[in-house]
Amino acid sequence: MALTELFSARKSCTTCPYCGVGCGVAATQESQPGGGEAVIRIQGDEQHPANKGKLCVKGSSLADTLGNHGRLLKPRLHGEDCDWETALDYAASQFRETIDTYGPDSVAFYLSGQLLTEDYYVANKLMKGFIGTGNVDTNSRLCMSSAVAAYKRALGADAVPCNYEDLDEAELVVLIGSNAAWTHPILFQRMQAAQAKLVVVDPRGSATSEMADMHLAITPGSDAALFNGLLHYLTEFGALDQGFIDNHTENFSDTLYAAAEWTPEKVADYCAVDLDELLAFYELFRSTEKTTSFYSQGVNQSSSGTDKNNSIINCHLATGRIGKPGCGPFSITGQPNAMGGREVGGLANMLAAHMDFTEDNIDRVGRFWNAAKMAQGPGLKAVELFNAVESGQIKAVWIMATNPAVSMPDARRVAAALKKCPTVIVSDCVADTDTARCADLLLPATTWGEKSGTVTNSERRISRQKSFLPKPGEARHDWEIICDVAKRLGYGEAFDYQGPADIFREHAALSGFENNRDQGRRAFDISALATISDQEYNFFTPLQWPVNAANPNGTARLFSDGDFYTPNGRARFVAVDPQCPKQETRDEYPLIMNSGRLRDQWHTMTRTGRARKLLDHSEAPEVHVHPQEAQEFGIEDAQLVRVESEKGQFFGRARVTASQKPGQLFAPIHWSDSLAHNATVSALALPFTDPLSGQPELKQVAVNIAPLNAHSYACLLLRTKTAEELHSRLQAGDKPLRQTILHWYRVPVEGGYRFELALSKQPDWQAIADNLFALHGKQLNRQRLQLPSGERWLLHSEQMELLVFTSADWQTLPDRKTLEDALNKPLPAMPAQLLQNVPAGAQMVCTCLQVSRKQIEAAIADGAASVDELGELLGCGTNCGSCKPEISALLNTNLAVAVG
Ligand SMILES: Nc1nc2c(c(=O)[nH]1)N[C@H]1C(S)=C(S)[C@@H](COP(=O)(O)OP(=O)(O)OC[C@H]3O[C@@H](n4cnc5c(=O)[nH]c(N)nc54)[C@H](O)[C@@H]3O)O[C@H]1N2
Ligand SMILES: Nc1nc2c(c(=O)[nH]1)N[C@H]1C(S)=C(S)[C@@H](COP(=O)(O)OP(=O)(O)OC[C@H]3O[C@@H](n4cnc5c(=O)[nH]c(N)nc54)[C@H](O)[C@@H]3O)O[C@H]1N2
Ligand code: SF4
Ligand SMILES: [Mo]
């Protein structure tokens, strides 16, 4: 039989659901001979202009995150499964009663940059056009809202001037508050391939700064001073494009006046950087025409983030470096569809299709929608919105595709507010999240691979996400759920869509509706797509907006003609007075806590946390500490520590590293109560916000740190059912466990879970096991081994049920992979062998090819002297390339040691 008869493959071109690079993904389903479960193969889509076939480690691991385990598969009302009729009736009647009794401003939606444009569009339409309130906000408030506010101030529209080809063409890329090597890896690889000079502005050393030509480790929050100083320098040293300033901008002299006091000496002092280095950066910027500024959360997540964005844009306007190849102020989006949300009006201060709440626009959108009740003004922004939930003003809230109990500043207070709110509806694809635990009604949503619609990436490029998997269980698409509730609220006619293509056509038509110079010109215009057929929608080729009669094939770059979206067509300079972070250090809280992302995890890990291999790079909540602080506070590397702010506590393992500056800490944001004990970083942050954008100051939190002394550590392996029992007891604060366990986190493994425990006293494993297995009903055999390093336990029937290894030193616990294997292998003839001879653990650097730090260090010791050489020898870095910065860092340290 020919091989082709055995296998049949179906390929679907879609888009990655993670970061704002928006890489094209080719998902191939290969059915197996004999009808076995189809295998999904994920590859980069060679045809997609964002990535041209490449994927980073998160994208290439997408297949490992699929599957029904842990999914929300049925609606749940007050903790019990229910049918859809009951769920939808409940949602609609709670909203209807609340609105009728307390008015439309007593309800709210909190949405997400991970919804598809079509989902976002109908949610926004329902709230702003039919329920009649502006109370729709989104997690993009925590992410992009300062970038939006700054673009609008300077350019007259939320319109990203640049595109990815500018990164290929740039001779200098200034990365400000961006760890792109980890957070936008495919774009970072493009910059590297183009051999542009890279300058990184970041208070800490990162994988990105490791690969840069220059790293300015500025004082946290001091970016605006750095760029005011640059504007001053550009003026002093003749780099202004006076023609551009005169013909295409306004407010230059006021802006320059505000910047004039920022001499290089003053900036060097304020930002705590070396004067010569600062001057070298200023000179590089001055002398390099093709300069792109690439900025992200280090500037956005600030109580003065809008000004910081404008201070960067000012320097591009002053030099005329905008709208030209290789140039521009490029705000890079985080989420896969942050841009789509901005386009439909997902932010509370926007109405729809880039229109805000002017009288004309309210009338215009009202006529287009044939709206029952138009919102008359902006709604509450995220922090205000959850404050209103707390105060009781908002009595019903529907949260979709975001996890605010983890990601909002002062996260514990947000969770508490939700718990006492009369109606909380949560739509998610995953059953157990911290936010889901606050819900009255849980609605099972489809997710990546199952749902269908469009997303817009950082360069304004609209691409399709396509379904290639069936809906699991009873899950429904977000747009369907919203429309079903809208119908029950009595708005059936306006929400009668046959599918996402229908919604997309309406969205496209609204973007072009009365969009002209006379009635108000809007940047977001995809009117040429308003009549596309279902077939064209299905085979949509990625396009950059505007896509209209003048530009039917899309628009790669904006503002090439120097015509801006302000009423007089001129871009605006904005005078900036640099502000310090509002969360200031003081005696009780002497350190600044910074936070951000890890290479292999996505946000609250509801998806990436399912792929075992993505946890190889880093599996535990951690805090990065400078050696000086470590010494001062008595902290050793890998020790458990407690970080405390005015608002809350965070536990994690210390990573002592000179990449932090003294006085500053850094923690990854990914862990939550669902995955670990006391590991929600945002619980520390005070909810200070930017006065214009409402974006919270998440990057600079005043904290203190102290070691947490554990009696000992344990690694515990359990099969799924018993692991879930342990997990729910840990979360419920079960007393005997609480008295013994100081800290825990869990890792999903094939066949069960591994728990890592820090113990406050010697546990009675027998009692813990008896308790856990009480309902098990099976007779279990027990093996115990007492070694000088610690106690080891095995409970088994015909298979392994529980394995425990303990040690006074966490780092001497054995290799976890070897232990995990025992879950899926037959028991050895002598089961006690499982307790013996397990090798020590190894940290993975290359997740794709499973190459550990130890292997790389050994190869360097044997003479390997470059990333490429190590790739040839061990394979590391040869698949997605996301680990190359770390391999390079290992080379630098190890070669330096060898030479030194
Ligand atoms: N692997 C991975 N990639 C992701 C995500 C993910 O969860 N995981 N999430 C996506 C999303 S939604 C977003 S928004 C992006 C975020 O992408 P990035 O903004 O690149 O990521 P962060 O790690 O949040 O922060 C970037 C850097 O800002 C620095 N920083 C902190 N304070 C300051 C400051 O005062 N000034 C300056 N100049 N820098 C500062 C931090 O030290 C950090 O290195 O990533 C996207 N990509
Ligand atoms: N301290 C600190 N806090 C931060 C940040 C920081 O840097 N520091 N960064 C902030 C930023 S930039 C961001 S973007 C946020 C991110 O924070 P969140 O948005 O809260 O985090 P996610 O884990 O992405 O939440 C997405 C949820 O949607 C679910 N989901 C996935 N697909 C679908 C779908 O198709 N439909 C539905 N209904 N649900 C789905 C997932 O299971 C998950 O529960 O965190 C912010 N908070
Ligand atoms: S860079 Fe990685 S996470 Fe971002 S879209 Fe591409 S494959 Fe997905
Ligand atoms: Mo984000």
Side-chain angles (χ1 to χ4, degrees), residues 188-268:
F188 190 70
Q189 288 180 18
R190 273 177 87 151
M191 290 173 215
Q192 286 187 302
Q195 300 193 321
K197 275 213 160 10
L198 301 181
V199 174
V200 171
V201 181
D202 192 319
R204 71 180 182 119
S206 65
T208 309
S209 69
E210 196 67 52
M211 304 300 273
D213 298 280
M214 190 188 292
H215 173 205
L216 294 171
I218 61 169
T219 302
S222 66
D223 302 76
L226 182 73
F227 286 91
N228 266 4
L230 176 59
L231 184 64
H232 173 75
Y233 182 93
L234 295 169
T235 313
E236 293 282 292
F237 290 91
L240 299 184
D241 184 339
Q242 202 59 51
F244 184 83
I245 296 173
D246 292 344
N247 296 327
H248 301 295
T249 70
E250 63 184 19
N251 201 30
F252 182 59
S253 45
D254 284 358
T255 305
L256 200 55
Y257 184 76
E261 64 175 285
W262 293 96
T263 60
E265 291 73 20
K266 183 170 167 172
V267 174

Side-chain angles (χ1 to χ4, degrees), residues 114 139 142-143 297 301 335 400-404 407 427-430 433 445-447 451 478 595-597 602-604 606-607 669 681-682 698-699:
Q114 293 166 71
N139 62 0
L142 318 180
C143 180
Q297 300 314 327
Q301 289 172 343
Q335 297 178 88
M400 300 177 208
T402 174
N403 199 351
S407 53
S427 298
D428 206 298
C429 47
V430 164
T433 71
T446 53
T447 186
K451 64 193 296 186
D478 286 296
S595 58
R597 285 139 177 92
W602 178 259
H603 295 173
T604 68
T606 60
R607 287 182 289 191
I669 58 172
V681 180
S682 302
L698 285 161
K699 287 278 188 267

Side-chain angles (χ1 to χ4, degrees), residues 640 708-714 716 734-743 757-768 791 793 804-808:
L640 191 63
L708 273 176
N709 292 318
H711 164 275
S712 54
Y713 299 87
L716 195 143
D734 175 279
K735 206 168 163 202
L737 291 178
R738 208 179 56 217
Q739 284 168 345
T740 318
I741 298 169
L742 186 62
H743 185 248
L757 311 175
L759 304 162
S760 45
K761 62 179 186 190
Q762 176 71 37
D764 181 348
W765 291 114
Q766 182 65 53
I768 292 176
E791 208 181 352
W793 279 78
V804 182
F805 276 63
T806 64
S807 168

Side-chain angles (χ1 to χ4, degrees), residues 13 23 30 125 138 307 329 365 368 396 404 406 470 500 530 655 778 780:
C13 285
C23 296
E30 288 169 356
K125 178 179 177 184
T138 147
D307 276 355
V365 177
F368 181 88
V406 185
R655 187 175 280 200
K778 274 188 205 164
L780 296 181

Side-chain angles (χ1 to χ4, degrees), residues 36 112 149 183 260 263 306 325 424 440 458 579 645 898:
S112 159
T183 54
T263 60
T306 310
V424 176
D440 300 289
S458 291
Q579 304 293 312
S645 79

